[in-house]
Amino acid sequence: AKQQGRNALQTFTQDINQKLTQRVTLRNDLQEAILNEQFELHYQPLLTITGAVQGFEALVRWNHPIKGAISPALFIPIAEETGQIIALSQWVIERAARDFLTLQPQLSSHCRISVNLSPMQFHRPSFLSSLSTTLEATGLSATSLELELTEGILMNDTDAAIDTLHALRAMGISVAIDDFGTGFSSLSYLRHLPVDKVKIDRSFINNIANNSKDAAIVQGIVALAHHLELTVVAEGVETTQQHQQLVELQCDVFQGFLFARPMPFKALCEWLTEKQG
Ligand code: C2E
Ligand code: CA
Ligand code: CA
Ligand code: CA
């Protein structure tokens, strides 16, 4: 038994070591990736209740030369720890702006390109000025941009965060709270935040058809958000049944595999042509 315990411990330690090594390796590889443009953006459409395109969310992909595709859920946290997120995010917003400008002649003037913000980006003193510089350099209008940020970003140093949000909106940039409902904050804080949209987290949408508690939460979020004149997005919509229920619950905008998966720019162009044709 003693031997067995020792083996188990050994396996456990090896496992941890392996994970640590993997993280360190990824960290080094990230540096290369930023320099060598191993990243790619995929885009997922957001649709209104009538099926009109409201915009696209840019989602970064890392095509690692050896390991293949690596999920952003894995490398974004590492990039945040190391500060590499700043360079990566800059690349993301420029790429997204350029791609969106290519499509813009085909789109309604209300369409926006949504980009995910990391906490480190949002809290940098130079955030607003560097964003303005990027808009100017790419030619993207502020009214074509939407930024998605999570509750966590806003909860720490709320006063400074609110100032930044006001400044963004004064520029014409739209702000969405991502993964809404998963934070630890109470819903009432929402009324203090100058934002335009809430995106209800996928975890509430998942079981909406057979979990009445999740349905009640969605209903509560929609009621509050609408009272505050915010647009409600349901993300992660996978089935027509979910969609129907979310329509009944009066969500305004829908995003999920049911309508379209995130896709490379070229596929997005084809998707749009087919939709409009
Ligand atoms: P997120 O912002 O909540 O993005 C939505 C995630 O849900 C995406 O995962 C998307 O592919 C996935 N998704 C969309 N529709 C469905 C559906 O119907 N069913 C299911 N099961 N999943 C769906 P992805 O692309 O793996 O991104 C994961 C997270 O990585 C994102 O979550 C976001 O937090 C982060 N991320 C992605 N790109 C960026 C970026 O450019 N910058 C930053 N800071 N974070 C990013
Ligand atoms: Ca998002
Ligand atoms: Ca989300
Ligand atoms: Ca998420």
Side-chain angles (χ1 to χ4, degrees), residues 26 38 43-44 46 67-68 71 73 95 98 112 129 178 194 203 211 217 232 244 252 257:
L26 277 186
Q38 290 165 14
Y43 297 96
Q44 188 176 34
L46 286 91
K67 299 188 182 85
S71 162
R95 180 76 265 157
R98 298 215 155 89
R112 291 188 188 250
S129 63
D178 205 355
S203 57
N211 184 334
I217 290 171
V232 179
Q244 249 165 30
D252 308 296
F257 294 171

Side-chain angles (χ1 to χ4, degrees), residues 18-257:
Q18 224 167 38
K19 288 212 172 95
L20 280 175
T21 318
Q22 194 194 22
R23 281 177 80 84
V24 173
T25 315
L26 277 186
R27 182 188 289 210
N28 295 336
D29 291 357
L30 260 174
Q31 203 56 41
E32 292 267 305
I34 292 169
L35 295 172
N36 298 337
E37 297 239 343
Q38 290 165 14
F39 296 106
E40 183 187 5
L41 290 184
H42 283 197
Y43 297 96
Q44 188 176 34
L46 286 91
L47 306 169
T48 67
I49 205 147
T50 62
V53 178
Q54 213 224 15
F56 311 97
E57 179 175 3
L59 294 156
V60 70
R61 300 287 177 259
W62 181 6
N63 303 313
H64 191 285
I66 296 156
K67 299 188 182 85
I70 301 179
S71 162
L74 191 68
F75 70 82
I76 293 281
I78 300 177
E80 277 176 11
E81 269 170 40
T82 61
Q84 289 162 314
I85 190 74
I86 297 298
L88 174 58
S89 304
Q90 186 59 31
W91 179 85
V92 167
I93 193 161
E94 283 175 22
R95 180 76 265 157
R98 298 215 155 89
D99 286 345
F100 186 78
L101 283 166
T102 307
L103 289 179
Q104 208 164 29
Q106 277 173 266
L107 302 171
S108 128
S109 62
H110 304 294
C111 278
R112 291 188 188 250
I113 179 73
S114 305
V115 173
N116 292 283
L117 270 198
S118 86
M120 180 182 272
Q121 254 179 306
F122 184 80
H123 292 297
R124 281 185 109 203
S126 59
F127 169 59
L128 288 169
S129 63
S130 100
L131 191 57
S132 305
T133 308
T134 306
L135 291 177
E136 215 161 297
T138 56
L140 184 74
S141 149
T143 54
S144 298
L145 181 63
E146 179 159 274
L147 298 175
E148 297 193 0
L149 26 106
T150 55
E151 287 170 72
I153 298 186
L154 302 169
M155 292 326 287
N156 114 37
D157 199 355
T158 313
D159 287 344
I162 289 177
D163 288 346
T164 307
L165 293 177
H166 277 298
L168 289 172
R169 292 182 84 201
M171 289 165 74
I173 294 171
S174 161
V175 177
I177 303 190
D178 205 355
D179 302 346
F180 192 76
T182 57
F184 297 102
S185 47
S186 75
L187 291 185
S188 62
Y189 85 108
L190 195 57
R191 78 189 151 96
H192 300 295
L193 297 177
V195 297
D196 304 277
K197 260 189 191 176
V198 295
K199 296 187 80 173
I200 302 179
D201 191 66
R202 180 147 57 83
S203 57
F204 298 110
I205 311 297
N206 263 340
N207 291 318
I208 195 167
N210 32 40
N211 184 334
S212 61
K213 284 184 187 150
D214 286 350
I217 290 171
V218 171
Q219 193 170 23
I221 294 175
V222 172
L224 175 71
H226 282 173
H227 191 73
L228 299 169
E229 298 182 359
L230 307 179
T231 301
V232 179
V233 183
E235 65 173 17
V237 184
E238 293 183 352
T239 68
T240 48
Q241 200 186 6
Q242 289 168 349
H243 182 221
Q244 249 165 30
Q245 203 167 348
L246 291 161
V247 168
E248 275 162 31
L249 290 168
Q250 295 183 305
C251 289
D252 308 296
V253 177
F254 308 86
Q255 179 181 8
F257 294 171

